[in-house]
Every structure is written in structure tokens, then in C-alpha cells.
């Protein structure tokens, strides 16, 4: 994973965290939190692919 790719995913995670905090409904918050978990999983997956 490139530093740029990791940075982009980390930015997405931060944006989703903010959106979840400000979500107008519980349903919207759950949807955003699901996206957040997917982004976190992608970051971990890509970081794991670089391990020897």
C-alpha cells in the first residue's frame, strides 16, 4: 500500500467518523458506521498485504 493510498483511506475514515457523529437519525448513523467499518477493514487488509 502506498502512503498516498493509506492517507486517502485514513481521510475517508475521519470524514465518516464526523458524519456518523452528526447523523440526523439512528438509521443514517448505522449506515455510516457500516461504511466506516468497511474502510477500517480495507486499511487493515492493505497494511497486512505489505507484511513479509
Amino acid at each position: 500500500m502506498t502512503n498516498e493510498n493509506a492517507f486517502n483511506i485514513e481521510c475517508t475514515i475521519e470524514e465518516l467518523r464526523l458524519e456518523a457523529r452528526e447523523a440526523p437519525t439512528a438509521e443514517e448513523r448505522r449506515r455510516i458506521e457500516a461504511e466506516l467499518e468497511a474502510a477500517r477493514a480495507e486499511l487493515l487488509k492493505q497494511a497486512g498485504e505489505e507484511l513479509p
Side-chain angles (χ1 to χ4, degrees):
M1 169 173 45
T2 66
N3 285 340
E4 182 179 350
N5 194 18
F7 178 76
N8 288 338
I9 295 172
E10 289 170 358
C11 287
T12 298
I13 289 170
E14 187 59 30
E15 290 172 6
L16 289 169
R17 289 177 65 207
L18 292 171
E19 286 181 34
R21 203 174 307 146
E22 297 176 1
T25 65
E27 181 180 340
E28 182 71 8
R29 186 169 32 262
R30 283 190 298 271
R31 184 193 62 77
I32 294 168
E33 287 173 350
E35 289 181 47
L36 179 57
E37 289 305 311
R40 287 177 176 152
E42 180 63 23
L43 186 62
L44 289 173
K45 175 186 166 206
Q46 290 189 19
E49 290 176 354
E50 289 190 4
L51 297 176

